[in-house]
Amino acid sequence: MKNFFKYFAVATVLFIASCTESFLDVNTNPNSLPTATPSYVFTNAENTTANIFVGGGTQGVNQMGEFWSGHWTQSSSYISNPIIFGYQFTNGDFNQWDPLYNNLEDFQFVIDNADANDQKYLKGPAKVMKAYIYQALVDMYGDVPYSEALKGVATLAPKFDNQKAIYENLIVSLNEAIVDLKANAFASAFTSSDIIFKGNTSKWVKFANSLKLRLLVHQSRIPGREGYITTELNKISTEGSGFITGEDVGSGGSGFYVATAGKINQIYGLWGYDANGGVLALARYNRPTKYLFDVLIASNDTFRLKRLAYAKGGENPSTPGKSTAAEIVSNYVGVPFGISSGYTAQASSYLGPSLIVKGEFNRPVILMTAAEIQFSLAEMKERFTGINIAGTSQSFYEEGVRQSFRTLGVADAAGKAAILLSSGIENSDWSASTNKLQAINLQKWIALTNFSGLEAWTEYRKSNLPNIPQSSLVTDSKRPVRIFYPNTETGSNSNASSAGTIDVFTTKIFWDID
């Protein structure tokens, strides 16, 4: 970890948005330390989480996962990137570690200071967000500092905890968060400091349960875990609040993002347009893969195809949300993963209106989709008996498809989903699918596209499905199963050696059993 911890209030002054419509501007004395209340730090921390997962350049959390799960690749208008597509990366690449631990420090500050500032209602949400971030760290790195982490100068070299034990403790910490949430309603004057759920503690509890479900489904293929998983799922059922349904978990949105440089939705501001509507150079970089298009077209799923991507040539500047070229299947050109020539920006499809529409700079950044939750429930019901959650694997599967159509913005989402679900096509229509788990996996993989790259890569590593093609830049079958600890950590924390020698092609995360 970066153990020369920053002061949280400085982060607040530099980055935080206010609780209303403008970003906070504070004049500070450079010779004295500023102070901040937990509510200000919490707002900034939520926004920072969204920005870290969206990521900048070509090494952000979401983008890395979108590439390695087979959703995205790059256009050949740019020099081919061997770090990503040739897997030639080192411990100097993909440093998700430092920003995520810095983000954790902010949430820990909120937890440590909420009571003294009479803002107890922030403790539960901050604990949920800590679990969200730690889950991501384990899924990328395996063993990480946990029990001794976030203690400032008291522990400059925290030990690395066992990744499986961290997962189990995250379930415990989420249960503690639920207790805090139920006991401490948001003060009405401070609901706008929460840019995810606007102070709705019921939704925070549902999010906590949804995170527990994610932690459990990742372990679903580990031999001997059925009893543990079933017990924990039934505890969620007994608690009674349920899961996020019918809406996605998003950070920011209208009233938070404003049409000013540096204050717009970062997805829009990285891969789409600037605050004035000017097309950005990197809008030509990310490209949906040919494999993704092949899967959608094979099942006649043009409804989602046209929401996941624009036709070749991109968005029509005069008709936001529509393609410049005719929106017919032949104009949707996906790029073979890792190919270095022949697929220029103008000749291939752009990221679509589910992510980027000119002028829509203030969409929330999605942290978890409702579809993911439904597909996870479908998998749990299909794999295990004795789960006391109402519903069947089929009902959860079909609701997952409907929620995917809704999130993508398909017109008449339920009606169009019904066409796919009754199509008679394997891995689309439940009744026509001979391998139910494979159908769940494929539809979940589609539903995660554009929104949850890390989760898609995690699911791919867990299940080895779908059968995405190897990169065109690679001549063998090796694929990354994790990333290196960054040199900033291995160079400053002697405990990093306890994790052993890391091979990014063979040192698997504990839930990756084959």
Side-chain angles (χ1 to χ4, degrees):
M1 295 170 62
K2 293 177 72 175
N3 294 304
F4 302 99
F5 294 147
K6 69 183 187 310
Y7 287 93
F8 306 106
V10 175
T12 304
V13 170
L14 292 176
F15 301 109
I16 186 172
S18 75
C19 298
T20 55
E21 295 185 353
S22 63
F23 279 61
L24 185 67
D25 293 319
V26 179
N27 294 318
T28 62
N29 180 352
N31 297 315
S32 64
L33 291 173
T35 59
T37 61
S39 61
Y40 286 159
V41 176
F42 182 72
T43 306
N44 176 63
E46 287 182 311
N47 183 47
T48 299
T49 302
N51 288 344
I52 292 169
F53 277 80
V54 171
T58 55
Q59 298 186 25
V61 174
N62 183 63
Q63 189 183 26
M64 179 185 71
E66 291 290 350
F67 288 141
W68 288 347
S69 64
H71 289 153
W72 294 357
T73 185
Q74 70 164 84
S75 76
S76 55
S77 291
Y78 292 80
I79 297 172
S80 184
N81 190 329
I83 293 173
I84 297 171
F85 303 108
Y87 315 140
Q88 298 172 23
F89 58 96
T90 70
N91 62 2
D93 300 303
F94 304 117
N95 184 356
Q96 321 296 2
W97 184 282
D98 292 337
L100 285 174
Y101 269 106
N102 285 341
N103 195 202
L104 283 168
E105 290 160 12
D106 286 348
F107 285 118
Q108 189 63 50
F109 173 87
V110 173
I111 294 166
D112 293 342
N113 292 276
D115 286 351
N117 286 270
D118 197 25
Q119 295 181 345
K120 293 181 180 181
Y121 45 83
L122 294 174
K123 290 170 64 177
K127 289 178 180 179
V128 175
M129 293 307 296
K130 274 186 62 180
Y132 181 87
I133 295 167
Y134 266 119
Q135 169 250 311
L137 282 164
V138 170
D139 292 345
M140 289 185 285
Y141 295 102
D143 295 354
V144 298
Y146 182 73
S147 61
E148 295 183 358
L150 312 181
K151 299 183 184 299
V153 296
T155 309
L156 294 177
K159 72 176 183 178
F160 279 53
D161 290 280
N162 175 269
Q163 53 199 282
K164 178 173 171 286
I166 295 172
Y167 251 50
E168 292 181 351
N169 194 266
L170 291 178
I171 297 286
V172 174
S173 68
L174 285 165
N175 289 333
E176 294 172 354
I178 289 172
V179 172
D180 284 332
L181 287 161
K182 289 182 174 181
N184 299 289
F186 264 70
S188 58
F190 285 88
T191 56
S192 58
S193 65
D194 171 17
I195 61 172
I196 294 179
F197 290 124
K198 302 296 188 290
N200 188 319
T201 54
S202 295
K203 290 184 179 181
W204 274 106
V205 173
K206 292 177 187 290
F207 184 30
N209 284 334
S210 301
L211 281 174
K212 287 193 282 185
L213 174 63
R214 177 187 277 185
L215 290 162
L216 295 168
V217 79
H218 288 175
Q219 303 174 71
S220 62
R221 296 189 67 229
I222 301 175
R225 290 299 271 176
E226 179 175 356
Y228 171 77
I229 292 170
T230 301
T231 298
E232 292 301 325
L233 285 173
N234 287 338
K235 287 179 183 178
I236 297 174
S237 178
T238 300
E239 185 276 324
S241 298
F243 307 92
I244 292 291
T245 56
E247 63 178 328
D248 307 307
V249 180
S251 179
S254 180
F256 180 77
Y257 297 122
V258 294
T260 303
K263 300 177 183 180
I264 58 180
N265 172 311
Q266 194 177 109
I267 296 172
Y268 185 92
L270 280 170
W271 317 121
Y273 302 90
D274 62 26
N276 298 314
V279 178
L280 297 170
L282 283 177
R284 299 190 298 271
Y285 189 84
N286 295 318
R287 286 293 176 270
T289 63
K290 180 180 183 298
Y291 180 76
L292 173 64
F293 283 8
D294 288 347
V295 169
L296 292 166
I297 293 169
S299 59
N300 296 321
D301 191 356
T302 57
F303 308 115
R304 285 187 289 183
L305 174 69
K306 293 178 182 180
R307 298 299 301 173
L308 287 168
Y310 287 108
K312 61 183 181 181
E315 184 179 15
N316 187 332
S318 301
T319 312
K322 298 295 182 182
S323 304
T324 298
E327 293 184 344
I328 56 177
V329 171
S330 60
N331 281 336
Y332 286 84
V333 181
V335 179
F337 185 73
I339 201 163
S340 57
S341 63
Y343 290 86
T344 62
Q346 287 300 110
S348 55
S349 289
Y350 286 57
L351 299 181
S354 62
L355 269 190
I356 297 167
V357 173
K358 186 177 181 180
E360 296 184 9
F361 59 85
N362 58 358
R363 289 183 179 182
V365 175
I366 291 178
L367 302 179
M368 177 182 277
T369 66
E372 176 195 330
I373 298 160
Q374 295 298 312
F375 287 124
S376 294
L377 287 168
E379 180 175 347
M380 294 294 90
K381 280 284 190 172
E382 188 66 19
R383 285 191 184 277
F384 305 125
T385 59
I387 296 174
N388 301 324
I389 296 174
T392 65
S393 50
Q394 179 177 353
S395 67
F396 289 127
Y397 169 86
E398 292 179 343
E399 182 62 16
V401 172
R402 286 189 286 269
Q403 290 301 314
S404 172
F405 275 61
R406 177 197 56 78
T407 298
L408 288 171
V410 175
D412 183 21
K416 295 301 192 297
I419 295 172
L420 185 71
L421 291 169
S422 60
S423 63
I425 298 173
E426 188 165 24
N427 296 329
S428 296
D429 183 328
W430 179 265
S431 299
S433 301
T434 55
N435 186 327
K436 306 300 188 185
L437 287 171
Q438 181 173 291
I440 294 167
N441 176 272
L442 183 66
Q443 289 300 322
K444 187 176 188 179
W445 178 79
I446 294 171
L448 293 170
T449 307
N450 285 1
F451 306 114
S452 300
L454 177 59
E455 187 60 21
W457 183 42
T458 294
E459 283 290 310
Y460 172 72
R461 289 176 289 164
K462 181 197 85 174
S463 66
N464 303 312
L465 292 170
N467 187 24
I468 60 177
Q470 176 61 294
S471 172
S472 301
L473 294 184
V474 178
T475 57
D476 56 33
S477 61
K478 289 183 178 180
R479 301 174 192 257
V481 296
R482 56 160 293 151
I483 54 179
F484 288 112
Y485 294 117
N487 51 22
T488 54
E489 180 67 10
T490 57
S492 62
N493 186 351
S494 60
N495 286 314
S497 61
S498 67
T501 302
I502 300 300
D503 185 320
V504 294
F505 299 107
T506 61
T507 308
K508 297 180 178 181
I509 309 303
F510 79 102
W511 40 250
D512 185 358
I513 64 172
D514 56 19

